[in-house]
Amino acid sequence: MASSRGRPPRQLPTSGYVALNPLERIEEEELPLYKPENYYPVVIGQVFASRYQVVSKLGYGTSSTVWLCRDLQEQTYHTLKVCARGQSSNQEIAISEHLKQCSDTIGKNMLRLVLDSFEVAGQHGTHTCLIYQPLGMSFAEFQNLLPDRKYPKDLVQRSIQLTLIALAFMHEINRESRLTITDISPNNILQGMEDTSVLSKMEEDEVERPIARKVLDDRTIYYSRPMPLCTGPPVVSDLGEARIGTKKHNGDIMPGIYRAPEVILEMDWDNKVDVWSIGNMAWDLAEGHHLFFAKENGTLNDEQHLAEMVSLMGPPPPEFLRRSKKCEKFWDRRGNWKGSISIPEQSFESRELQFSGEDKVLFLNFLRRIFRWLPDERPSAEELAYDDFLMQPMVQSRD
């Protein structure tokens, strides 16, 4: 029931929707490792923590379902993430609480922090619930709406520059609180939302035209409503794999094809892995496909990945090779490749097809600043934010 300090929950329709075939797999059911007992059976209209009423489904993933909810106390909207059973969010909650103590309001506004958290008991166990500010679609979702999945040049520049500004805040908060995100990709950068009236429209749409769903004995599987296009500045989300501190870290991180060479080769790493991810993301947005294929017979393959890096960056310097015994498997002491997979015949110039003339020169110079074997040779996020390619629109406006 609703909190005594808030308004009563709204009665949302329980009929009038399109009933889907119970045998048809939809939404999270289509995930390869889907197990229904791992997902909490959220119902539209349900109130969580005596405060947050679910009004629409926004999406799903391997670790959660995501819902739009109305705060009955504040009469505002939030995003509710209901984690799958066994999924821990302690790291993300801890990092969010840590960042809330920082004084940089602008920087914090470019991060999706956990605003509230609680647990809910399901039939098969306990589920963690996280409350966030409402945001628009991800860069990846927006990319899928574009012709050939390619961002226009000015949008690439604006999106990457603003993301770098957010990264610079996290990398330089203070000496002991520096964050490395480790999971920068188009899936985890969301459009900021400046006009929240679209959310009330989504709620009214659910009242007037209830979303199609599949009703089973123990749960209802809803179709997700697409988020509208938003034009606010990008917001970095999913801080669950972030690391705090200035010391070097270790361990396998980053989405597979985004992994930096120091991660693949089991070296210690720092926040320059985020800069490497920015280069991959810039390429993805501009070109409409990944820079690295990194697969053999459809499976992620480290040797293939490293061979492609050599083709684009040249051989690694001796200083880099000395940092990991694993390098001996792929190079001799002089940096000559000895892997079983041939070095592809390619270059940044031959691969880059979106730009021409000065635009192409600036873009490739931007990429070459990032794609360096030695992390120390990559610019910081703050330095990269002022790169000539990203500053081009501002320079041209002054001419």
Side-chain angles (χ1 to χ4, degrees):
M1 55 188 296
S3 165
S4 59
R5 290 191 296 140
R7 296 183 181 181
R10 186 174 189 178
Q11 294 298 315
L12 294 171
T14 57
S15 62
Y17 54 82
V18 174
L20 302 175
N21 183 348
L23 300 180
E24 178 188 356
R25 288 180 174 267
I26 64 169
E27 298 275 296
E28 58 265 28
E29 294 179 308
E30 297 183 284
L31 295 171
L33 301 178
Y34 172 75
K35 293 182 179 180
E37 62 269 23
N38 289 340
Y39 288 79
Y40 183 83
V42 178
V43 177
I44 289 180
Q46 182 176 357
V47 178
F48 284 80
S50 300
R51 177 173 181 176
Y52 306 106
Q53 183 177 26
V54 175
V55 297
S56 184
K57 185 179 181 182
L58 298 178
Y60 63 92
T62 57
S63 61
S64 65
T65 54
V66 183
W67 307 80
L68 177 65
C69 63
R70 184 158 46 85
D71 186 337
L72 298 175
Q73 290 184 15
E74 305 294 338
Q75 291 305 305
T76 56
Y77 291 94
H78 295 293
T79 296
L80 166 68
K81 179 179 179 180
V82 183
C83 298
R85 186 166 56 93
Q87 293 290 325
S88 173
S89 298
N90 293 341
Q91 176 77 350
E92 185 172 6
I93 294 170
I95 287 175
S96 292
E97 290 302 314
H98 178 81
L99 291 174
K100 288 175 187 176
Q101 309 306 315
C102 299
S103 59
D104 188 330
T105 304
I106 295 177
K108 285 191 288 189
N109 287 341
M110 302 184 78
L111 308 176
R112 188 179 74 160
L113 305 181
V114 177
L115 304 178
D116 190 10
S117 63
F118 49 89
E119 292 186 342
V120 61
Q123 185 176 353
H124 301 282
T126 301
H127 301 259
T128 300
C129 299
L130 306 175
I131 296 292
Y132 303 97
Q133 69 185 105
L135 295 167
M137 63 181 71
S138 69
F139 279 10
E141 291 169 327
F142 179 62
Q143 187 174 20
N144 289 331
L145 302 178
L146 298 172
D148 300 322
R149 304 184 69 251
K150 297 176 181 178
Y151 273 46
K153 183 189 70 171
D154 60 339
L155 193 53
V156 172
Q157 292 165 323
R158 177 180 182 272
S159 300
I160 294 298
Q161 188 171 49
L162 290 173
T163 303
L164 281 166
I165 292 171
L167 273 184
F169 162 74
M170 288 179 279
H171 288 177
E172 304 295 337
I173 296 170
N174 61 55
R175 181 163 180 78
E176 296 305 320
S177 300
R178 291 177 182 173
L179 282 184
T180 301
I181 301 303
T182 79
D183 198 11
I184 296 291
S185 77
N187 291 315
N188 292 336
I189 312 296
L190 308 182
Q191 297 173 344
M193 180 175 293
E194 296 177 328
D195 179 10
T196 58
S197 65
V198 297
L199 302 177
S200 59
K201 185 178 186 307
M202 291 180 71
E203 180 179 357
E204 293 308 315
D205 285 346
E206 181 61 37
V207 171
E208 297 173 9
R209 293 174 290 277
I211 199 73
R213 64 201 67 177
K214 186 173 83 168
V215 180
L216 303 174
D217 291 339
D218 63 341
R219 67 190 57 237
T220 298
I221 309 293
Y222 301 87
Y223 269 128
S224 302
R225 287 187 185 272
M227 287 298 296
L229 179 64
C230 301
T231 57
V235 178
V236 179
S237 70
D238 211 344
L239 305 179
E241 296 300 320
R243 305 290 195 275
I244 299 178
T246 58
K247 66 179 180 63
K248 295 281 188 177
H249 307 278
N250 54 58
D252 193 20
I253 53 163
M254 311 176 74
I257 55 170
Y258 271 39
R259 286 187 303 162
E262 61 267 32
V263 174
I264 295 174
L265 294 163
E266 301 175 359
M267 300 175 183
D268 291 342
W269 46 264
D270 59 18
N271 60 27
K272 291 300 179 67
V273 297
D274 288 341
V275 173
W276 180 275
S277 291
I278 285 289
N280 279 281
M281 187 168 74
W283 181 276
D284 279 359
L285 300 184
E287 305 297 316
H289 56 80
H290 299 312
L291 176 60
F292 298 106
F293 180 65
K295 292 182 180 179
E296 185 180 35
N297 299 322
T299 302
L300 196 67
N301 182 279
D302 289 347
E303 186 173 346
Q304 176 68 38
H305 203 166
L306 292 168
E308 293 174 25
M309 290 181 184
V310 173
S311 71
L312 296 174
M313 301 192 298
E319 181 183 348
F320 180 83
L321 297 175
R322 288 193 293 267
R323 296 183 179 184
S324 171
K325 291 286 289 183
K326 194 173 180 180
C327 292
E328 297 176 3
K329 179 180 178 181
F330 305 107
W331 296 276
D332 64 22
R333 292 183 178 180
R334 297 182 178 179
N336 296 309
W337 179 256
K338 64 178 186 180
S340 60
I341 294 175
S342 299
I343 303 297
E345 294 185 7
Q346 63 173 352
S347 65
F348 280 119
E349 282 81 5
S350 66
R351 288 284 307 280
E352 203 292 304
L353 303 176
Q354 180 72 352
F355 303 128
S356 60
E358 181 188 15
D359 292 345
K360 183 163 186 170
V361 171
L362 291 176
F363 185 53
L364 294 187
N365 287 343
F366 169 78
L367 295 176
R368 286 195 170 97
R369 294 183 68 191
I370 295 171
F371 291 110
R372 308 295 295 265
W373 292 101
L374 290 168
D376 291 346
E377 294 184 355
R378 299 170 205 155
S380 67
E382 183 177 10
E383 291 168 340
L384 197 58
Y386 294 96
D387 183 83
D388 290 345
F389 174 67
L390 302 182
M391 295 297 291
Q392 185 191 40
M394 186 176 299
V395 172
Q396 290 177 341
S397 69
R398 293 173 178 172
D399 293 342

